[in-house]
Amino acid sequence: MAKEKEEKKETKKNVHEVVIKIEGEEWKEALDKAFKEKQKEAKVDGFRKGKVPRDIYEKNYGKEALYLPAADILLQKAYERAMEESKLIPVVQPEIDLKSVDDEKIEYVFKIVTKPELKIKKYKGLNIKPESVEVTKEEIEHELSHILERYTELVSKEEGCVEDGNVAVIDFEGFKDGVAFEGGKGENYQLEIGSHTFIPGFEEQVIGMKVGEEKDLPLTFPEDYGVEDLKGAEVIFKVKVNEMKEKQVRELDEEFFEDLGMEGVDSKEKLEEEIEKNIKAEKEVDAENKYVDTILEEVGKQVEVDIPEEMVNEEVDRLMKRFEEHIRMQGISLEVYYQFTRSSEEDLRSQMEKEAYSNVLYRLMLEEIMKMEKVEVKDEDAEKEASLLAEKYQMEKEEFLKQFGGIDMIKYDLEMRKTIDLLKEFNK
């Protein structure tokens, strides 16, 4: 019969080491299972694959070759035993190490971080008011100009020369020391003058050119340009203007409003009303988020807690993963990001530590307030919320719950939101 022993030692506050020892028959059985797996792939001269005897295998590979595979076989059981015997509830994924291993026994060490004690001196009556929201006439006009810009048409410009704001359709080729350089050539490129798409001085020198005109543009690449050979280099761009186009601003007429396709909007006045409503809605969301952030920040100042660094590190991992997914959606990898920003993973993690600490602090703080205020969410309310969210994201409910983390995560999320609503009421 295998003997299992559990030893618990607190290394520092809220960080515990739990040692699980497995020996005797059960360790022997794990070694036997490990050998049977290794035997399938073992290659020893004179024996067919999968037929190497145990003693020959150990002579060629060493007994130690079975230790780690056997450790993996028993790992889940050892972890369950550590949780059962220690009665500890981990708040981050436990770290696992081997304390010792030999023919007779194996000892695992589980580093378990538990929820820290937290004291909130005050979380009511902080007198925090949300910001009032207003929409100015300038903001409405600015957004109206953006809408008109989106519906602006480009028409050929037959007379005159290239002006600021025009689009010049050009052929170009760049030369350094009389030799064309890679990436410096284009044909029928539509260059908006004033967009600063090209290096400084290029667009300025195109201004004044006419259709069919050819011109050499002497330019200097910036010192911080991304291509090493071109940093600070003096070059010549040969440019030919093939066509000129100018923007034609749409009239706010019946045809424009039909193209716009906004229900009930058929005049400038109604469009401005819609713009004002949309700007106000966006500002209200921003103001609400800022209001909640301010409340959490102020209540956080009233909290006494020693947060284990492992909790912060795990939150940094989560933020790093979210950031990587975000930039990947823009077609950028982390490696390219580090090159572009001249930074490293260590730099990025360091930048995220403050946000990670605040996230952990606020989560612990809200959980404590949730407990003190006896905030609860009924099962039927959680199920209803899950159905609504699944419909919103156009997913089957079961698939949504699987990705979200189950109905318990829905309940937890709703409880957090109810707790935040309580804080808003308590601190008006």
Side-chain angles (χ1 to χ4, degrees):
M1 187 73 178
K3 296 180 181 178
E4 300 178 4
K5 297 181 181 179
E6 180 269 338
E7 171 191 337
K8 183 171 75 173
K9 179 175 70 174
E10 187 169 312
T11 56
K12 58 182 178 179
K13 203 168 186 180
N14 304 108
V15 181
H16 316 264
E17 283 189 358
V18 178
V19 179
I20 296 291
K21 182 164 78 171
I22 299 178
E23 55 190 339
E25 190 62 30
E26 191 160 8
W27 176 233
K28 181 179 178 299
E29 287 177 4
L31 289 170
D32 290 343
K33 287 181 182 178
F35 168 68
K36 287 177 182 177
E37 287 300 314
K38 287 291 185 179
Q39 185 186 40
K40 295 175 184 177
E41 300 298 325
K43 295 180 180 179
V44 176
D45 290 342
F47 296 91
R48 284 183 296 152
K49 192 175 181 180
K51 298 297 182 180
V52 180
R54 177 77 170 265
D55 59 337
I56 301 298
Y57 176 89
E58 291 182 355
K59 183 178 179 181
N60 280 268
Y61 293 95
K63 293 180 179 180
E64 297 79 7
L66 301 177
Y67 291 165
L68 287 181
D72 288 340
I73 291 169
L74 291 174
L75 179 58
Q76 184 60 32
K77 178 176 177 57
Y79 174 69
E80 291 171 0
R81 176 64 184 273
M83 295 299 101
E84 180 184 349
E85 294 293 329
S86 68
K87 308 298 182 188
L88 297 172
I89 301 175
V91 290
V92 297
Q93 191 67 31
E95 293 181 17
I96 305 163
D97 201 357
L98 290 181
K99 183 178 182 181
S100 66
V101 60
D102 54 36
D103 282 351
E104 305 299 324
K105 67 181 186 313
I106 183 170
E107 289 183 296
Y108 300 87
V109 180
F110 295 90
K111 183 180 178 184
I112 300 173
V113 180
T114 56
K115 190 173 182 178
E117 293 181 8
L118 180 141
K119 180 181 179 183
I120 306 177
K121 292 178 283 186
K122 184 178 181 181
Y123 64 92
K124 298 180 180 179
L126 295 174
N127 193 28
I128 303 168
K129 305 293 183 185
E131 290 183 0
S132 59
V133 170
E134 293 181 359
V135 180
T136 66
K137 185 178 179 181
E138 289 75 18
E139 288 172 327
I140 295 171
E141 290 176 350
H142 182 72
E143 181 58 28
L144 177 58
S145 69
H146 275 299
I147 292 173
L148 289 172
E149 180 74 21
R150 290 198 293 272
Y151 283 86
T152 294
E153 296 177 343
L154 285 175
V155 295
S156 289
K157 180 179 176 181
E158 304 297 338
E159 302 293 333
C161 56
V162 177
E163 298 177 42
D164 191 18
N166 288 171
V167 171
V169 182
I170 61 172
D171 294 340
F172 64 90
E173 186 168 15
F175 296 83
K176 177 187 174 185
D177 299 328
V179 179
F181 54 83
E182 188 177 351
K185 184 177 181 179
E187 293 181 355
N188 288 319
Y189 183 89
Q190 297 199 47
L191 173 63
E192 181 179 348
I193 307 301
S195 64
H196 307 296
T197 305
F198 283 18
I199 63 174
F202 189 104
E203 294 169 28
E204 291 81 355
Q205 294 190 59
V206 174
I207 292 174
M209 292 180 68
K210 297 180 179 180
V211 173
E213 183 179 349
E214 298 183 26
K215 188 177 180 181
D216 289 353
L217 312 184
L219 293 164
T220 303
F221 274 92
E223 293 291 343
D224 61 350
Y225 192 69
V227 179
E228 190 66 33
D229 289 347
L230 295 176
K231 287 182 178 179
E234 294 183 359
V235 298
I236 297 292
F237 273 95
K238 293 184 179 295
V239 176
K240 179 184 177 183
V241 176
N242 299 323
E243 186 183 358
M244 295 183 297
K245 297 180 181 181
E246 59 184 347
K247 295 178 180 179
Q248 190 172 74
V249 179
R250 292 283 298 273
E251 296 291 330
L252 296 178
D253 53 19
E254 184 178 345
E255 184 181 354
F256 172 79
F257 290 113
E258 285 179 2
D259 291 345
L260 190 61
M262 295 176 70
E263 188 176 350
V265 176
D266 56 8
S267 68
K268 181 182 178 183
E269 291 72 23
K270 288 182 180 179
L271 177 56
E272 288 177 336
E273 288 175 7
E274 191 69 20
I275 290 171
E276 182 178 12
K277 185 173 72 174
N278 292 338
I279 292 175
K280 187 175 182 181
E282 289 178 11
K283 282 191 165 189
E284 285 173 343
V285 170
D286 290 341
E288 175 69 10
N289 291 336
K290 186 177 179 181
Y291 178 46
V292 170
D293 288 343
T294 302
I295 291 174
L296 294 176
E297 185 178 344
E298 291 304 312
V299 176
K301 294 175 183 177
Q302 305 293 323
V303 173
E304 293 179 0
V305 64
D306 183 12
I307 298 177
E309 63 180 355
E310 290 84 358
M311 292 186 73
V312 178
N313 289 338
E314 185 171 83
E315 179 63 12
V316 170
D317 290 340
R318 189 187 70 82
L319 293 176
M320 287 282 290
K321 184 177 179 181
R322 187 179 70 179
F323 178 78
E324 183 177 7
E325 289 171 351
H326 174 70
I327 63 172
R328 189 186 295 126
M329 288 176 66
Q330 301 174 39
I332 304 170
S333 67
L334 272 179
E335 291 71 21
V336 170
Y337 172 82
Y338 293 143
Q339 290 175 10
F340 184 75
T341 58
R342 298 178 183 177
S343 62
S344 64
E345 180 180 346
E346 185 179 351
D347 295 330
L348 187 57
R349 290 185 68 88
S350 180
Q351 291 172 26
M352 290 182 172
E353 281 179 2
K354 184 177 179 180
E355 181 183 355
Y357 181 88
S358 295
N359 289 351
V360 175
L361 171 63
Y362 298 158
R363 185 170 70 241
L364 293 171
M365 178 179 81
L366 288 169
E367 287 174 353
E368 185 66 18
I369 295 170
M370 187 192 303
K371 184 173 68 176
M372 290 189 289
E373 295 295 332
K374 298 181 174 57
V375 175
E376 292 182 355
V377 170
K378 295 179 181 178
D379 291 344
E380 53 264 38
D381 291 335
E383 292 288 350
K384 183 179 178 181
E385 178 72 5
S387 298
L388 290 172
L389 289 172
E391 184 179 347
K392 177 182 177 181
Y393 293 109
Q394 298 180 334
M395 298 172 66
E396 292 293 328
K397 184 177 176 181
E398 291 306 314
E399 180 60 26
F400 171 78
L401 284 173
K402 183 179 178 182
Q403 292 193 24
F404 196 82
I407 198 68
D408 286 342
M409 283 302 296
I410 297 286
K411 288 184 72 172
Y412 178 80
D413 187 58
L414 287 173
E415 286 166 350
M416 281 291 198
R417 281 151 57 183
K418 286 182 72 172
T419 305
I420 289 172
D421 287 341
L422 277 178
L423 280 178
K424 286 155 63 176
E425 289 295 321
F426 291 152
N427 292 289
K428 283 184 177 177

